[in-house]
Amino acid sequence: MTANQRLTTPFTARTTAAEILDGVDLTGRRMIVTGGASGIGVETVRALAGAGAEVTIATRDPRRANALVEEFAGRGAVRSAALDLSDLESVDAFVEGFPGPLDALVANAAIMAIPTRQVTAQGWELQLATNYLGHFALTRGLHASLRAAQAARVVLVSSGAHLAAPFDFDDPQFERRAYDPWLAYGQSKTAEILLAVSITRRWAQDGITANALNPGYVFTNLQRYVDDDTMRALGAVDEAGNLVETDHYKTPAQGASTTVLLAGSPLLDGVSGRYFDDNQEAEVVPGGPDATAGVAAHALDPAAADRLWAYTEKAVVTR
Ligand SMILES: NC(=O)c1ccc[n+]([C@@H]2O[C@H](COP(=O)([O-])OP(=O)(O)OC[C@H]3O[C@@H](n4cnc5c(N)ncnc54)[C@H](OP(=O)(O)O)[C@@H]3O)[C@@H](O)[C@H]2O)c1
């Protein structure tokens, strides 16, 4: 495969996470999955731990992971630890409590479309803070642990929502422009893809690779802030508000497959700085409000990645 060739795999949109790892032994690999106690994260943990990996579920309330920890009691190791990505003190405490090395960090946690602008203790808009800035601080804090694993992977669970929202360097926190819940979400998801590009540019000599992905549409807690009209417009519920079975919605186990491909499959050995959808590398497209598939050029732009890294380092250090 040349650098410009798109990576393809034998898997499809309907492949489950467990099927991706059929025949793959992850025994001895240590992994962290943020938001691993609900939705797509649960199936991500289940597949990785099922293949033998030692998985730490990072969640705001570790008790929420009890059932999953129990499920693996006596076969493999799943544990949980407290992490609130919107609170940098919590991120620091998590990093301090994690003994390296770390083979894979899966940045899966997120919130979506918070209806009104909310800010963290640092004054950061909540979606950018949770989905991106917290994951940046976590990844940076775990750099030595990732380096120690020698061929570590960072997996950024992004979204097709990035297509409509380039990172706005003039006003990333929506201090001057009108707050838009979907633009804020989309921007945070663009930032996660740019982080994969930056890690590739900065940490390749440490053997660390980083890739991003869109899991596809899955009914989870993520939609809790989305109003009924929007759910209807998305074709997710009928007029009466009942969930509709549609072809483009995946089960959580199918939604977790691309994450698991990037975190654990040997097909991804040495691959970095790319974006995947339905278990294939996505086509680069111009992006914009009408774009529905692929990865936007604005999310893979190395200059934007460098600029974002500088902005974020400053924000996190001078918090
Ligand atoms: N579902 C979809 O259709 C879809 C589509 C495109 C992309 N995605 C992406 O897929 C990923 C997983 O989403 P999901 O659908 O599985 O949603 P979900 O069930 O709501 O899971 C998201 C997780 O994020 C965690 N989280 C939220 N705020 C947090 C914070 N401040 N600190 C730490 N963790 C926090 C929550 O964990 P705790 O409450 O346990 O802390 C929750 O378990 C997200 O990155 C999302 O953007 C999903």
Side-chain angles (χ1 to χ4, degrees), residues 111-317:
I111 46 174
M112 181 176 82
I114 309 295
T116 53
R117 182 177 182 270
Q118 294 181 37
V119 293
T120 65
Q122 285 80 31
W124 295 337
E125 186 279 316
L126 191 59
Q127 294 188 75
L128 189 66
T130 306
N131 304 354
Y132 169 66
L133 291 161
H135 277 132
F136 176 93
L138 180 68
T139 310
R140 190 169 170 273
L142 291 167
H143 182 193
S145 295
L146 291 163
R147 189 172 45 214
Q150 293 182 342
R153 298 179 180 191
V154 180
V155 178
L156 286 312
V157 182
S158 180
S159 164
H162 85 274
L163 287 161
F167 195 86
D168 186 334
F169 287 97
D170 292 332
D171 189 13
Q173 308 288 352
F174 291 85
E175 289 162 313
R176 291 177 298 282
R177 57 183 167 144
Y179 175 73
D180 177 309
W182 288 104
L183 268 187
Y185 177 68
Q187 175 185 250
S188 74
K189 293 291 159 181
T190 286
E192 290 191 277
I193 305 170
L194 289 170
L195 179 55
V197 174
S198 274
I199 291 171
T200 304
R201 289 163 69 73
R202 285 160 194 271
W203 296 352
Q205 74 278 9
D206 298 327
I208 301 169
T209 56
N211 293 287
L213 72 125
N214 171 23
Y217 292 109
V218 185
F219 291 118
T220 63
N221 290 333
L222 195 71
Q223 289 90 14
R224 65 190 176 281
Y225 298 110
V226 182
D227 60 55
D228 289 350
D229 285 347
T230 308
M231 287 296 273
R232 267 191 285 276
L234 290 169
V237 297
D238 63 20
E239 280 309 311
N242 301 312
L243 288 178
V244 177
E245 297 255 336
T246 59
D247 285 348
H248 64 284
Y249 273 82
K250 298 180 180 180
T251 65
Q254 292 166 344
S257 66
T258 311
T259 304
V260 165
L261 176 84
L262 271 44
S265 169
L267 294 174
L268 265 285
D269 280 349
V271 174
S272 197
R274 301 185 183 211
Y275 176 95
F276 294 77
D277 209 347
D278 294 341
N279 291 306
Q280 311 297 331
E281 186 178 354
E283 184 185 354
V284 181
V285 298
D290 300 325
T292 54
V295 57
H298 64 240
L300 292 177
D301 177 8
D306 284 351
R307 195 174 170 194
L308 181 60
W309 183 279
Y311 167 80
T312 318
E313 266 209 318
K314 192 163 169 232
V316 168
V317 171

Side-chain angles (χ1 to χ4, degrees), residues 32-73:
I32 294 171
V33 179
T34 68
S38 89
I40 296 167
V42 169
E43 296 303 328
T44 303
V45 172
R46 216 171 243 148
L48 294 171
E54 212 182 285
V55 183
T56 298
I57 298 171
T59 160
R60 281 172 294 187
D61 179 359
R63 287 169 304 184
R64 293 189 62 210
N66 281 353
L68 206 46
V69 172
E70 274 298 302
E71 191 179 316
F72 283 89

